[in-house]
Amino acid sequence: MTPAHRRAVLVAGSANLDFVVRAAHVPAPGETVLGREFSTFPGGKGANQAVACAHAGGADTQMLLALGEDDFAKPIEASLLDAGVQLHTVRDAQLPTGTAFICLSDDAENAITVAPGANMALRAEHLPALEGIGWLLLQLETPLETVLAYAYAARAAGIKIALNAAPAQPLPEELLALLDVLIVNEGELAVVAGNPPDLATGLARVQVPCVIVTLGARGCLARVGDEILLQPAFRIAALDTTAAGDTFCGALVAALAHDTPLADALLTASAASALACTRLGAQSSIPTFTEVAALLSDCARRPGDDAHTALAAWCTL
Ligand code: ADP
């Protein structure tokens, strides 16, 4: 099989229905906040990333997911199919479809509690045939032993593996050793790298060929071998940053699956995730490939040299 036939992305991971309430601020422990508008949105890190990969990244995308036999599953499947994602669905009659309870504040902060339900039923034997897959994209909302089993299977099949280590948890060295790309935010890097004193130490400690750290509104940086790439964020008015990281991961891996050089893939992922911050919801906020291309081709809206200088100074690398 030639590389041209191996460009599809398989996302294996979680799918949830998000219950979102807007409020003036996110409640502190023990506090009750009277919220305002309420909506449900298809979400879950895996499903969000699959939609981003297909919809924003334009990649041929498949997803392995586990759902309950309940009504919560329906909008999730509809959203994925709508984005053009080919589904490998495991049905669990005992567990409910995964749900997430999100409080979204007026200053675009969020607090999220996930009830994983059927996502925890995803096991090694559910992995579909890997024929035609070029990249496997994983997260940590499914059992770690399953994530590890999928990574071993992908490595054996010569497939590139990207892991978004979210939600944060310490990772076994054997999993890190299987990865081509690790994507983390600052909090996740701290957990994976064992509370490093600074960013440079954190990046150096993680034994993965390419480590990407997203830095919210500042942008992101990547370490590839000894080289550091910086990509400042696009300047936008953020309304809801839910799924910013997921949009980044999906768009990034879609670009890599199209053999895009890493610096350009970081730029594309930054554009896609910035657009996602301007809209409400998780999958409903993910832009189309055309919208991402329009932002990328608008030189006036690209982060300039001053933004690069500011990011480099902040990173003190
Ligand atoms: P996570 O949601 O996983 O914590 P981040 O908050 O670091 O991830 O966001 C991921 C990416 O989304 C960032 O690297 C950046 O490119 C983009 N992003 C996030 N917040 C903003 C923002 N306020 N303005 C522009 N881009 C943003």
Side-chain angles (χ1 to χ4, degrees):
M1 183 174 287
T2 64
H5 292 112
R6 298 185 57 95
R7 286 185 179 168
V9 178
L10 173 65
V11 182
S14 61
N16 297 325
L17 192 62
D18 293 350
F19 291 75
V20 182
V21 60
R22 290 190 69 96
H25 64 272
V26 168
E31 184 187 10
T32 298
V33 170
L34 197 58
R36 299 192 311 273
E37 308 89 353
F38 167 77
S39 312
T40 58
F41 295 103
K45 290 184 188 299
N48 295 345
Q49 293 180 18
V51 169
C53 192
H55 200 55
D60 181 358
T61 308
Q62 301 180 23
M63 179 171 184
L64 169 62
L65 73 169
L67 298 170
E69 289 182 348
D70 52 34
D71 286 346
F72 293 165
K74 291 180 185 144
I76 295 171
E77 288 176 293
S79 176
L80 286 161
L81 292 171
D82 217 41
V85 179
Q86 184 192 327
L87 302 184
H88 304 276
T89 309
V90 175
R91 294 280 165 195
D92 192 296
Q94 314 300 325
L95 292 168
T97 293
T99 45
F101 299 87
I102 301 176
C103 180
L104 177 62
S105 76
D106 289 341
D107 55 0
E109 285 300 313
N110 58 45
I112 307 177
T113 308
V114 174
N119 291 306
M120 285 299 159
L122 216 50
R123 285 188 299 277
E125 65 267 26
H126 295 133
L127 192 68
L130 296 175
E131 207 73 66
I133 303 296
W135 278 81
L136 174 67
L137 174 55
L138 299 162
Q139 317 76 31
L140 300 175
E141 283 187 333
T142 49
L144 189 59
E145 66 193 54
T146 306
V147 170
L148 187 61
Y150 293 169
Y152 270 117
R155 171 54 73 93
I159 291 166
K160 298 266 189 195
I161 307 164
L163 171 71
N164 173 219
Q169 61 172 285
L171 295 176
E173 288 297 328
E174 69 173 319
L175 176 57
L176 291 170
L178 293 166
L179 305 179
D180 295 284
V181 177
L182 175 72
I183 308 156
V184 284
N185 65 19
E186 280 178 283
E188 290 147 8
L189 178 68
V191 174
V192 172
N195 285 317
D198 52 47
L199 206 49
T201 312
L203 285 168
R205 273 188 196 168
V206 181
Q207 297 300 304
V208 175
C210 173
V211 180
I212 298 169
V213 186
T214 64
L215 303 165
R218 294 180 195 281
C220 64
L221 82 164
R223 178 191 56 69
V224 197
D226 289 338
E227 195 192 350
I228 297 285
L229 300 175
L230 297 175
Q231 178 56 59
F234 284 73
R235 226 171 278 141
I236 44 86
L239 174 68
D240 175 7
T241 59
T242 307
D246 292 336
T247 304
F248 184 97
C249 293
L252 180 96
V253 173
L256 295 177
H258 290 149
D259 294 332
T260 306
L262 181 63
D264 293 337
L266 294 173
L267 181 68
T268 301
S270 301
S273 51
L275 288 171
C277 293
T278 64
R279 298 162 192 171
L280 271 186
Q283 286 154 43
S284 53
S285 74
I286 295 171
T288 63
F289 185 75
T290 311
E291 288 170 326
V292 177
L295 181 55
L296 287 171
S297 62
D298 183 349
C299 294
R301 292 166 74 197
R302 279 197 195 195
D305 291 346
D306 52 335
H308 272 273
T309 308
L311 180 59
W314 187 84
C315 293
T316 59
L317 291 167

